[in-house]
Amino acid sequence: MCLLIYIDESGKPNELGRGPFVIASVAVDKLSADNAINSVRDFVGSVSQRLGININEIHTSDLVGYSNEWRRRRIDISRRVQVFNDFAQSISGLDILLNIVVVRALGNVVVRSPDGVRRVAITNLVERVFMSKPWFPNCSKATLIFDSQSPRENGRVKMDVEYAIRKSRARPTFRLSVVFRDSRNEPLIQVADYVAYVVRKIYMGHTQYRLFNLQHAFQLLESKIRRCPDKNTYKGCGLKEWVIK
């Protein structure tokens, strides 16, 4: 496959009253994938060695929320903030392209079909993947790589992608296939997780959480978000917002 696209989510489509649902994708050309993957893998390894903890992935909500291995090893906030900042800096140096979809609700909207919300969000993301063709002109095939959940959930996501391909308003520019992998073995899913987490917090108005500077992290990620053709903006293109009223 010529193009690899790693995807992860933050938030839940049935809990829009508590904050947006965000789905983020990290696209990388197959020729550049090894460098990006090894860079993140080396980063995680260096964190493990430096802090004396046993991790094989950076799960951002655990890092910021002080849970799992970070709490068991009593890693203080100043060192966790350093990991958070260093990861953003590392991501900003990768040869990747980001496409992000944000779903948020206004007022007291009741979401009666969470599965439908996710399906539309995935459709919006697939459209953005198709519109990424100018950045990867020599690619005709793309693999969408999702963080693996249960067999039932994976099957639902695959059906959502098939629906998205059929309903896409963007002209199909890649032949898409779908696979599911464990995020612990896929460093670029961890990048998608970080991106989705940061964007969700920014849309919630949380530019700062304790010592974590979320605004600065987002600014480091901005250069990787796909711009609109012939424009210096990513809004509506690499970063799509869907407001449910």
Side-chain angles (χ1 to χ4, degrees):
M1 292 297 173
C2 180
L3 186 61
L4 302 174
I5 301 170
Y6 299 82
I7 300 169
D8 208 359
E9 305 172 353
S10 183
K12 297 180 180 180
N14 62 328
E15 297 181 355
L16 294 182
R18 300 176 59 181
F21 170 62
V22 178
I23 182 167
S25 71
V26 176
V28 60
D29 186 289
K30 188 70 167 63
L31 295 176
S32 304
D34 285 347
N35 285 339
I37 289 168
N38 289 335
S39 177
V40 177
R41 190 168 283 144
D42 289 346
F43 176 80
V44 176
S46 70
V47 169
S48 296
Q49 185 175 30
R50 185 172 75 249
L51 300 183
I53 60 176
N54 183 25
I55 59 170
N56 50 18
E57 71 172 321
I58 300 291
H59 194 260
T60 312
S61 63
D62 290 343
L63 172 65
V64 176
Y66 194 42
S67 58
N68 292 333
E69 193 70 9
W70 305 98
R71 179 178 287 275
R72 282 194 292 269
R73 293 293 183 173
R74 298 182 179 179
I75 306 301
D76 64 58
I77 191 169
S78 62
R79 289 187 290 175
R80 288 186 289 116
V81 167
Q82 189 63 58
V83 172
F84 181 83
N85 293 341
D86 289 348
F87 199 21
Q89 188 67 55
S90 177
I91 292 170
S92 72
L94 299 179
D95 187 13
I96 58 175
L97 185 71
L98 302 179
N99 281 296
I100 307 160
V101 175
V102 178
V103 184
R104 64 185 184 89
L106 287 183
N108 297 317
V109 172
V110 177
V111 176
R112 302 189 184 281
S113 176
D115 288 345
V117 170
R118 179 179 272 110
R119 175 168 286 189
V120 174
I122 288 177
T123 300
N124 275 278
L125 187 72
V126 166
E127 288 173 350
R128 266 131 203 92
V129 168
F130 286 149
M131 290 187 283
S132 300
K133 180 67 172 179
W135 282 261
F136 306 98
N138 298 320
C139 292
S140 60
K141 300 178 182 179
T143 301
L144 306 182
I145 304 167
F146 288 84
D147 189 11
S148 183
Q149 305 297 319
S150 66
R152 179 179 179 181
E153 284 296 298
N154 291 350
R156 178 193 54 75
V157 169
K158 189 170 184 179
M159 286 191 296
D160 286 347
V161 171
E162 291 169 351
Y163 172 90
I165 294 170
R166 294 195 307 271
K167 298 296 184 179
S168 172
R169 293 171 295 178
R171 181 176 63 85
T173 52
F174 301 105
R175 281 182 289 163
L176 300 183
S177 59
V178 179
V179 299
F180 299 90
R181 304 272 173 76
D182 190 325
S183 62
R184 291 173 295 183
N185 301 323
E186 292 292 351
L188 296 186
I189 291 181
Q190 299 167 39
V191 171
D193 169 78
Y194 185 95
V195 172
Y197 180 93
V198 169
V199 169
R200 181 172 187 265
K201 292 299 185 182
I202 290 296
Y203 269 82
M204 293 172 69
H206 299 167
T207 57
Q208 184 84 24
Y209 173 72
R210 300 182 71 183
L211 298 180
F212 293 90
N213 191 333
L214 297 157
Q215 182 66 42
H216 178 65
F218 179 73
Q219 288 170 343
L220 288 173
L221 302 175
E222 278 187 299
S223 65
K224 299 300 174 180
I225 303 174
R226 184 178 60 84
R227 262 51 181 178
C228 301
D230 303 319
K231 297 179 182 178
N232 190 30
T233 182
Y234 50 73
K235 293 184 178 180
C237 296
L239 179 55
K240 169 68 175 179
E241 182 181 7
W242 172 31
V243 181
I244 300 176
K245 302 178 181 180

